[in-house]
Amino acid sequence: MSTSERPMPPLLADERTSLESWLDFYRATLAQKCADLPEKGLREAAAAPSPITLLGLLQHLAEVERNWFRRVLAQEDVPPLFAPPAGGGDGTQGHAGGWELAEDSTHEQALARWEAEVASARQNCAARALDDTSPFMGGQVTLRWIYTHMIGEYARHCGHADLIRERVDGRTGI
C-alpha cells in the first residue's frame, strides 16, 4: 500500500465496493500519518497521561486486522503479534494489544506486520459474501458487520493519529 496516495472511495458504487473502499481509505490515512517521521517521532506519546503513539497505533491496528479478519472471520487460531494488553486478554473481544512498544520496535517492522495482516484480511474476505457469517461471542457476525466495525475503528484511530502527528511535527491535513 502506497503511503503517497490515499484512494478516494467512489461516489457511486455497490455496497461491497463502498465498504472495502472506505476501509482502504482509512488504512491509507493511517499509513500517511506514520510516513516520513523519524523513529523518535513515531514513539512520541500524544499527551499525558495518554501513552498512545503513532507506532503503537500501527501495531494495534495490525492486531485488530488479525483479530477480526483471521480469528473471527476465518476462525484461524493465530497468536497475538504483540504482547497482550495489561490485564490479560487475547484480543478476541475488543482488547487487541499492540499499544506497548518494545525497545526494538521499528516503523519498518510494524508496517510490514500491518501490511501482511491487511493482505490476509483481503484474502479472507475475497471469497465471502457480505452476509456470510462466523461465530462470535455466542452468536453470529456477518462480514458486513465486520467491515462496518473496522471502518469505525480506523476512523477513530485516524483521528488520534491526526492529533499525534500535529503534536509531533505540526503537520495537519495529511
Side-chain angles (χ1 to χ4, degrees):
M1 176 177 308
S2 169
T3 58
S4 62
E5 289 189 34
R6 186 170 48 180
M8 175 66 180
L11 300 177
L12 296 172
D14 61 88
E15 181 183 18
R16 184 179 190 115
T17 301
S18 292
L19 290 169
E20 290 174 347
S21 297
W22 275 106
L23 182 53
D24 282 342
F25 174 83
Y26 285 117
R27 285 169 169 158
T29 299
L30 176 70
Q32 284 182 337
K33 295 295 177 184
C34 295
D36 304 323
L37 273 176
E39 293 291 329
K40 182 180 180 202
L42 291 163
R43 291 174 163 276
E44 192 170 318
S50 175
I52 297 175
T53 65
L54 288 169
L55 187 56
L57 278 170
L58 189 59
Q59 291 182 164
H60 172 69
L61 285 163
E63 287 284 12
V64 172
E65 292 273 354
R66 176 173 273 227
N67 182 56
W68 284 105
F69 293 114
R70 294 183 69 185
R71 290 189 189 112
V72 175
L73 182 67
Q75 295 294 294
E76 293 179 34
D77 184 19
V78 292
L81 292 167
F82 307 97
D90 63 0
T92 59
Q93 296 190 22
H95 305 290
W99 296 108
E100 294 181 15
L101 305 179
E103 290 278 329
D104 60 349
S105 296
T106 67
H107 179 249
E108 183 180 351
Q109 292 167 336
L111 185 64
R113 286 179 174 160
W114 175 74
E115 287 174 338
E117 291 305 322
V118 169
S120 290
R122 288 186 177 123
Q123 183 177 358
N124 285 339
C125 293
R128 290 178 168 82
L130 291 177
D131 290 327
D132 284 358
T133 61
S134 293
F136 181 66
M137 295 182 67
Q140 295 290 310
V141 64
T142 64
L143 175 57
R144 176 184 289 105
W145 190 97
I146 293 171
Y147 273 143
T148 303
H149 172 76
M150 290 296 290
I151 291 166
E153 180 89 8
Y154 268 93
R156 181 169 60 107
H157 289 318
C158 284
H160 296 138
D162 279 337
L163 296 172
I164 297 168
R165 181 67 191 242
E166 184 175 6
R167 183 173 189 279
V168 170
D169 71 356
R171 289 186 64 193
T172 60
I174 52 174

